[in-house]
Amino acid sequence: MKKIYFDNNATTPIDPEVFDAMMPYLKEEWGNPSSIHWAGRGARKAVEEGREAVCKLLNCTGLELIFTSSGSEGDNHAIKGIAYAKKDKGNHIITTKVEHPAVLNTCKALAKDGFETTYLDVDGDGLLNLDQLKSAITPKTILITVMYANNETGVVFPIKEIGEIAKGRGITFHTDAVQAAGKIPLDVQKLGVDLLTISGHKLYAPKGIAALFVKRGVRLVPLIHGGHHERNRRGGTENVAGIAAIGKAAAIAMRDMDKEAAHLASLRARLEKGLAERVPHIKINGHPEKRLPNTANVSFEFVEGESLLLNLDMKGVAASSGSACTSGSLEPSHVLLAMGLTHEMSHGSVRFSLGKMNTAEDIDYLLEIMPPIVERMRGMSPLYAGAK
Ligand SMILES: *Cc1c(COP(=O)(O)O)cnc(C)c1O
């Protein structure tokens, strides 16, 4: 059976170059980077080089980077770290309705300690209204956390403009850039952010390694207390092989980003145009231009997204929907609902997230198998019979 992977926003395969870069630290160079003897020296060097490479991608200094275990940890560290560090100044956080659960549930959890969160709306294209952001700010606002690019739709938010608003009001600004990393430029100086999260496994490095940029001078309460690792900001012996891997992944992203973005954009256009020509009653979700080049979120009217995914899986195609399957009941995507889609259209949506290994042949295979699958599924829908 063919195996085609269109779920790169969920996780990416490990780039062979990245795999080669991390292997020595699982074999010969197994030392503890904190050790001053021979066994630790190679490991320490790997940590320093990995840090330097990630800093180049973000355009920051080594003092401004904390390695974490995941993007979720980075988001938690940024949000809780700022909330507790600034709790004497205020208790108000601003975010959006379309964030990743790592942000939404962190803000929710802070409610028990008296923090209050405003969740900004998005419009039908998935975009924010910056006037709503400005009017949400109060003297108690200590943190704005807004994602760079949405994992479900690929919609990109105007981080630079939000950074200017935050700065003008003396508010700390964090962005979850997990989906943006490697796909669009991530210069923290140009973006004007105070904190920024990335994660290795969305960037062709393995799971279990990620990084948080913390601008010089920004004080953060640690999430994990321990030794002197990461300048006392995150306890725990460094994930040396993971750091070597994310460093390599960052270097590759810098080297190949322009070429890859063009490749992904042309594949995505082929996919969206092809589907629109072959399958009636579909809607492409998210602003047509202000989007990552790799993500296509498509609603298929009169079709149940989960069943569509199962049918695609049987043909070897891996994609996903925004729905979370919780205790047998399917909750529609919070992102699509916030964009004003009906429950039916949200349930009928599928996310195709392309990656650098995908080819035009992969897209053409999808375009070949999709129309009969959708037609067969709609044939069983009484609603479709009525609509035809
Ligand atoms: C995947 C993802 C995360 C979480 O990263 P992990 O490393 O899987 O914990 C956070 N934010 C966004 C936008 C993501 O896509």
Side-chain angles (χ1 to χ4, degrees):
M1 186 178 75
K2 256 194 191 339
K3 272 193 180 173
I4 296 178
Y5 189 71
F6 288 143
D7 204 9
N8 288 272
N9 287 11
T11 196
T12 52
I14 300 177
D15 184 309
E17 276 189 78
V18 169
F19 186 80
D20 289 345
M22 76 184 289
M23 273 314 280
Y25 305 99
L26 297 169
K27 288 171 105 180
E28 303 90 19
E29 297 282 5
W30 41 262
N32 186 326
S34 297
S35 303
I36 56 166
H37 50 63
W38 58 266
R41 276 195 286 273
R44 165 135 306 273
K45 188 156 172 280
V47 169
E48 279 161 13
E49 286 173 359
R51 193 184 307 279
E52 218 166 276
V54 175
C55 289
K56 269 207 186 120
L57 179 69
L58 305 184
N59 191 20
C60 68
T61 66
L63 304 177
E64 296 174 306
L65 198 78
I66 304 176
F67 286 114
T68 63
S69 68
S70 64
S72 300
E73 184 190 325
D75 286 343
N76 271 263
H77 195 166
I79 297 167
K80 292 178 189 163
I82 291 297
Y84 293 124
K86 293 180 79 178
K87 68 175 189 304
D88 294 338
K89 294 211 176 72
N91 68 339
H92 182 231
I93 298 169
I94 299 174
T95 187
T96 79
K97 289 185 177 168
V98 297
E99 299 296 311
H100 188 273
V103 169
L104 291 176
N105 289 331
T106 302
C107 293
K108 234 200 232 165
L110 282 171
K112 73 167 181 349
D113 285 342
F115 292 97
E116 285 165 16
T117 303
T118 300
Y119 299 88
L120 301 174
D121 298 314
V122 294
D123 65 16
D125 281 334
L127 296 176
L128 294 169
N129 176 345
L130 294 190
D131 288 330
Q132 192 196 15
L133 166 65
K134 285 180 200 155
S135 49
I137 294 172
T138 77
K140 296 260 180 219
T141 307
I142 50 173
L143 173 69
I144 297 174
T145 173
V146 170
M147 70 201 318
Y148 195 173
N150 189 275
N151 44 303
E152 290 188 31
T153 59
V155 168
V156 173
F157 284 149
I159 294 306
K160 188 166 180 280
E161 285 165 79
I162 298 170
E164 279 161 14
I165 294 168
K167 196 168 180 192
R169 305 289 294 263
I171 301 165
T172 306
F173 179 38
H174 164 249
T175 187
D176 172 342
V178 170
Q179 288 298 340
K183 297 172 189 143
I184 51 178
L186 266 196
D187 183 322
V188 294
Q189 313 293 334
K190 283 194 187 140
L191 290 173
V193 296
D194 297 307
L195 302 113
L196 178 147
T197 308
I198 65 167
S199 178
H201 78 101
K202 308 283 175 86
L203 188 64
Y204 306 98
K207 293 144 198 71
I209 186 67
L212 175 66
F213 159 74
V214 184
K215 191 174 156 181
R216 202 184 168 141
V218 171
R219 210 170 68 77
L220 207 59
V221 171
L223 208 57
I224 300 176
H225 297 269
H228 296 299
H229 314 95
E230 301 294 305
R231 299 183 175 264
N232 300 315
R233 290 174 301 183
R234 192 216 184 235
T237 300
E238 297 86 343
N239 175 357
V240 181
I243 291 169
I246 198 173
K248 188 68 180 179
I252 294 171
M254 280 199 82
R255 185 189 72 197
D256 297 347
M257 192 173 318
D258 292 348
K259 194 182 75 195
E260 281 310 329
H263 167 70
L264 292 169
S266 93
L267 291 183
R268 200 250 316 261
R270 190 182 185 101
L271 189 162
E272 291 184 343
K273 185 165 167 286
L275 277 182
E277 285 167 2
R278 288 168 181 80
V279 184
H281 306 290
I282 68 167
K283 177 180 181 295
I284 292 165
N285 298 309
H287 190 277
E289 280 100 45
K290 293 174 183 167
R291 262 192 313 167
L292 294 174
N294 80 315
T295 309
N297 188 304
V298 188
S299 289
F300 296 84
E301 229 181 315
F302 314 111
V303 166
E304 213 276 299
E306 299 291 321
S307 333
L308 184 50
L309 291 177
L310 293 177
N311 278 280
L312 288 174
D313 186 26
M314 284 191 277
K315 296 274 187 192
V317 173
S320 78
S321 72
S323 316
C325 194
T326 42
S327 61
S329 78
L330 286 172
E331 273 178 38
S333 150
H334 69 286
V335 175
L336 299 179
L337 289 183
M339 289 165 67
L341 268 73
T342 60
H343 274 62
E344 288 69 32
M345 282 300 262
S346 305
H347 269 310
S349 75
V350 172
R351 176 187 73 186
F352 302 97
S353 48
L354 314 182
K356 62 182 177 184
M357 335 70 55
N358 288 129
T359 62
E361 289 75 51
D362 294 348
I363 304 293
D364 292 346
Y365 177 73
L366 178 75
L367 293 175
E368 184 192 313
I369 64 167
M370 205 67 172
I373 293 176
V374 173
E375 191 54 34
R376 181 156 38 81
M377 290 178 66
R378 284 178 175 166
M380 298 184 285
S381 158
L383 288 173
Y384 185 58
K388 254 204 305 197

